[in-house]
Each structure stands twice: as C-alpha cells, then as structure tokens.
Amino acid sequence: MHSQTGVEIPGITANPRVVDVVQPLIDRVQDLIREKNVSYDEWHQAIHFMMDLANSGEMPLLMDVFFEATVDAVASAASASSTTAIEGPYYVPGAPMLEPPCVMPQRPDEPGEPLVFSGTVKTPDGKPIVGALLDVWHSDATVPGTYSNIHPGQPAFNLRGRLQTDEQGRFELRTIRPAPYRIPDQGPTGRLLNALGRHSWRPAHVHVKLTADGYQPLTTQLYFQGDGFLDSDVASAVKDDLILALEPAGSNGGSHLTLRYDFQLAPTNH
Ligand code: BEZ
Ligand code: FE
C-alpha cells in the first residue's frame, strides 16, 4: 500500500524503516516550510546549498557536525563499555603499527608540548584485556590544528598510530599535545555555521578507536581541562567524563604532560 495515497501500486516495495524514519522527516520539513513561510527564493537557495555541499565533498563533515553526536548518544545508551564519542570525518584506516616504547609518527621538528598518553584496557569487572588494539589519531599543535592525510602540509599518517596493550592490559604512547581544531570556514559547512551565528571550533582532543577479540569495539575522544571550547564544541560532542587533566611530569631531565585514561570494553554478546 502506498503510504500517502492508500493505493496499491505494483512494483513498489516499501522499506518499513524508511517509512518509519524518513517519512516523518519529510513531514516535518513540510510543516516547517508552512510554519516559517519559506519563500521560493529561500527554496532555491536551499537547493543551491545542497548542490554546493555535494560538490565540495563536505557532506560527511556537515553530517558529523550536526548529527553524529546524536547518533552516538543513541548507540552508547545500550553499551556497558566506557564512554563513547563521535568518530568525526578524519579517521584513516591503516595507521602505522607501533612497538614499545611507542612513539607517535611525527616530523623531526614536530611543534607542540610532549605528551605521554597512558592507561589500561579492562573488562567491566576489572580484568586486563591483553593485546587490545588502540588506533589513535589527533591534530597537530598548530592553531587551528590540522590532520595528516586530510589537510595539506603533513607527511602521510603523521600523528596517527596503532598500539597494543601489554600482559597487564596497559598501554603508553609518546606524542604531542594537539591544538583546538577549526572546521574549514570557506566551504558550505562553515558558511552555514556563520549564518547560524555559530563559531566553527572544536576543543583539542585525542581520538581513540579500540578493538579486541571477543569485545565490543569502542570509539571515543579525550579532551583537556581548561580548553576554551569545551562548552561550545561545534560538533556538540564533549562529555564531562571525557574531560581529563593534563598533569605535568618530568623524568631524566626532560619534561612532558601526562594524559591518563582507563578504558573498559564490554564483551560481545553471543
Ligand atoms: C573531529 O573530531 O575531528 C571532527 C568532528 C566533527 C567534525 C569535524 C571534525
Ligand atoms: Fe578530531
């Protein structure tokens, strides 16, 4: 049965999920056009905006800015793992595998304060997970930060690396402190944010994707206390328990910041 006309039309196969989700979306946009008296001029501007968006390649960026945090909230509600966060558009598979002592791939003159990121990966009842794989990526320390493989100017896979937990479920990665990141403001996403009266910054963050055999995968981000954009993240993705203190530390005459986090992975349901 055609959902709007009530007429049976041969050759049409309704997808019940599309009917359930997309039809109300269409209905709401139609309501909004009436409620806000959208004009033909605005209608044409909307079409041009969407064509610009598709041509610019910014579709994943715009979707992540406006909607991924909500998808993450729905997905994480059912999980017993530690706190999740959005992946964002800049994950690149195949980062170099690092061996202890793990040092993030970086330029010889990589700017930024040295940072040692360490912690554990355990089950919800506290058993270490040996050989869990952490895929870590973050921006560089220039302000605004940029990502290798995405923005020009860095070698491929700079500040991207994979490492595994040891026999006690521990990991340690030597890297640099990333800077706050700014959504490109010359493209359609930036223009829309500007028209909405919103800035285009994300607080500095470290991305982690965690996988281990027999456990549910986890994607998250860690933020730093004191960052000026924690309360106004353009992607609305900050969660309080992912905001961590960066503690100063020194050893062997050198000094660095430390970032510590203990992850939990829930077993897969059989
Ligand atoms: C990020 O986490 O890097 C990101 C998230 C959403 C949009 C753009 C970037
Ligand atoms: Fe990011």
Side-chain angles (χ1 to χ4, degrees):
M1 186 88 74
H2 188 279
S3 67
Q4 280 186 330
T5 60
V7 176
E8 187 104 30
I9 301 175
I12 290 185
T13 317
N15 175 327
R17 185 65 176 158
V18 174
V19 173
D20 192 33
V21 177
V22 181
Q23 187 59 55
L25 174 67
I26 295 167
D27 296 343
R28 281 179 212 185
V29 174
Q30 291 172 345
D31 288 346
L32 214 64
I33 292 170
R34 280 189 208 95
E35 193 184 311
K36 301 293 177 188
N37 282 312
V38 171
S39 67
Y40 256 107
D41 185 37
E42 290 166 332
W43 164 247
H44 288 129
Q45 284 183 44
I47 293 171
H48 279 128
F49 175 79
M50 289 204 260
M51 287 171 63
D52 251 14
L53 182 64
N55 291 334
S56 70
E58 283 192 4
M59 188 74 89
L61 176 71
L62 180 135
M63 293 296 280
D64 287 352
V65 164
F66 290 105
F67 303 113
E68 192 187 353
T70 310
V71 178
D72 168 58
V74 171
S76 71
S79 169
S81 296
S82 46
T83 306
T84 60
I86 65 171
E87 178 173 310
Y90 300 143
Y91 172 66
V92 180
M97 275 302 306
L98 310 176
E99 295 296 334
C102 297
V103 179
M104 200 61 138
Q106 55 194 275
R107 296 164 279 194
D109 54 350
E110 190 66 50
E113 290 172 90
L115 173 69
V116 176
F117 170 36
S118 66
T120 56
V121 182
K122 294 186 176 171
T123 63
D125 53 0
K127 293 197 189 70
I129 303 179
V130 181
L133 184 72
L134 292 96
D135 201 331
V136 183
W137 73 104
H138 59 75
S139 80
D140 69 0
T142 58
V143 181
T146 63
Y147 285 86
S148 66
N149 301 54
I150 305 292
H151 307 105
Q154 294 186 56
F157 290 105
N158 201 51
L159 303 174
R160 297 176 183 271
R162 288 182 289 167
L163 64 159
Q164 283 187 294
T165 53
D166 68 11
E167 296 300 317
Q168 274 105 51
R170 297 174 305 190
F171 67 90
E172 185 173 295
L173 174 65
R174 186 167 280 270
T175 185
I176 54 99
R177 174 186 185 161
Y181 169 75
R182 189 171 195 193
I183 303 297
D185 55 351
Q186 301 306 309
T189 311
R191 289 203 311 272
L192 176 58
L193 286 164
N194 184 58
L196 289 168
R198 288 174 53 178
H199 74 65
S200 48
W201 290 86
R202 297 214 63 219
H205 55 277
V206 173
H207 291 268
V208 183
K209 238 181 199 299
L210 253 174
T211 48
D213 282 348
Y215 296 89
Q216 295 171 24
L218 175 83
T219 300
T220 195
Q221 301 189 10
L222 303 172
Y223 304 92
F224 313 139
Q225 277 176 13
D227 192 301
F229 297 111
L230 290 171
D231 294 331
S232 62
D233 176 13
V234 65
S236 311
V238 178
K239 297 178 181 175
D240 285 350
D241 54 346
L242 297 176
I243 304 173
L244 306 177
L246 282 174
E247 307 281 2
S251 63
N252 300 332
S255 69
H256 58 261
L257 297 167
T258 63
L259 174 70
R260 219 200 120 79
Y261 192 78
D262 296 323
F263 297 94
Q264 285 181 7
L265 289 188
T268 39
N269 305 315
H270 293 290

